[in-house]
Amino acid sequence: MTKACRLCKVLTNESTCPVCKGSELSEDYLGFVIILDPKKSQLANKMSIKEAGQYALKIR
Ligand SMILES: [Zn+2]
């Protein structure tokens, strides 16, 4: 089951976040975006995303 990190919103199948190493993961999220190149993405900039990957749009 894919989970979303509450801190940086990245989606992961691991039990800890691969980006911020946090363990606050939630299965309760809405929608996701795939960021391929954070430096060229306005959305990534807006969401403060610095690593490529899949990110939840909203975590409840
Ligand atoms: Zn994280």
Side-chain angles (χ1 to χ4, degrees):
M1 178 91 191
T2 305
K3 296 174 193 164
C5 174
R6 288 185 190 279
L7 297 176
C8 58
K9 296 185 176 173
V10 72
L11 298 185
T12 180
N13 292 314
E14 309 296 324
S15 55
T16 54
C17 173
V19 176
C20 71
K21 313 296 178 197
S23 56
E24 294 215 24
L25 305 174
S26 172
E27 289 179 9
D28 197 6
Y29 62 90
L30 287 174
F32 66 91
V33 288
I34 298 171
I35 303 292
L36 297 175
D37 191 342
K39 290 188 189 77
K40 289 180 186 164
S41 167
Q42 287 186 2
L43 185 62
N45 193 30
K46 210 170 170 182
M47 292 170 72
S48 305
I49 291 168
K50 291 176 181 66
E51 307 263 346
Q54 293 183 27
Y55 292 83
L57 285 176
K58 185 167 188 167
I59 299 169
R60 288 186 287 198

